[in-house]
Amino acid sequence: MSLIRSPHSLHRCHSLSFSIIPPYPHHKYYQHFDMGFLVAIFRFLEATIGPASMLLFPLYASIRAIETPSNLDDQQWLTYWILYSLITLFELSFWQVLRWLPFWPYMKLLFCLWLVLPFFNGAAYVYENFVRKYVKVGGPVSSTFTEGQRKVLLMMTPDARRSVEQYISKHGAEAFERVVKAADKEAKKR
């Protein structure tokens, strides 16, 4: 068999052809060029946007959250990392099934974008609506506190809660409100 190919012999010995693009336009590869191009674009976007949105931005935001006095951004990013870890464990456990689902990487990317983007704050939503219902840090909070104070106290560890309750009993609920407002104001500056 000769290595020089004519367009007519291409269909018989396709595996030995040296050209990536077929030599004549009515070849079957030209019919699927648009679809292959779109797939290449999507794979490129997945390879660039995926790591940037699932790892780099959350890493940067987590470092910033550590530096702020507010617990709200800490909840957002800690919840994100927990959910991202669960997704990764799911992928590692079911990789043989997931490799047959061509849309899985895009579903994961969209879900992680929903979790990460500040416009949606999906991780905070998951924390408030699912995690908080099932995981309680401390015991019940006294009904003598206002709703806002109870919400803040529920976010604290038992030791921190005792300290705050002692502060309130010593200085009054109004002093505690001023401290909370000052902390919120400081957190919004950053």
Side-chain angles (χ1 to χ4, degrees), residues 2-178:
S2 82
L3 294 177
I4 299 174
R5 303 263 182 253
S6 70
H8 304 292
S9 66
L10 198 79
H11 68 278
R12 283 184 278 148
C13 300
H14 175 68
S15 63
L16 293 178
S17 67
F18 295 103
S19 174
I20 294 174
I21 299 175
Y24 49 95
H26 60 276
H27 194 272
K28 65 181 180 179
Y29 287 113
Y30 281 103
Q31 296 170 359
H32 300 291
F33 177 74
D34 291 333
M35 191 60 163
F37 181 72
L38 289 175
V39 168
I41 292 292
F42 279 127
R43 286 189 179 153
F44 173 76
L45 290 175
E46 176 196 354
T48 55
I49 293 175
S53 65
M54 289 187 270
L55 295 172
L56 292 178
F57 178 71
L59 176 66
Y60 170 74
S62 298
I63 292 169
R64 286 195 50 160
I66 291 170
E67 299 299 322
T68 63
S70 174
N71 285 341
L72 296 176
D73 52 0
D74 296 345
Q75 287 175 0
Q76 160 73 19
W77 295 113
L78 285 172
T79 305
Y80 171 77
W81 288 114
I82 290 168
L83 292 172
Y84 185 77
S85 299
L86 289 174
I87 292 169
T88 304
L89 286 172
F90 175 77
E91 280 185 317
L92 290 173
S93 299
F94 297 103
W95 68 272
Q96 290 184 339
V97 174
L98 292 175
R99 72 181 178 165
W100 291 99
L101 302 174
F103 51 86
W104 167 250
Y106 308 111
M107 287 177 40
K108 176 185 169 187
L109 179 63
L110 287 175
F111 180 68
C112 287
L113 284 173
W114 179 75
L115 291 174
V116 165
L117 291 176
F119 179 74
F120 299 111
N121 267 349
Y125 177 83
V126 169
Y127 179 81
E128 287 293 326
N129 294 302
F130 300 105
V131 176
R132 179 169 269 173
K133 288 180 182 177
Y134 302 108
V135 179
K136 298 288 185 190
V137 175
V141 177
S142 173
S143 61
T144 59
F145 298 112
T146 65
E147 180 64 31
Q149 292 171 341
R150 278 196 301 255
K151 189 174 182 179
V152 171
L153 289 171
L154 280 172
M155 288 190 284
M156 297 179 178
T157 63
D159 292 335
R161 187 183 301 175
R162 273 190 297 264
S163 298
V164 169
E165 287 172 347
Q166 288 172 357
Y167 179 84
I168 291 173
S169 66
K170 185 176 180 182
H171 299 286
E174 295 80 21
F176 178 65
E177 285 292 328
R178 286 193 299 271

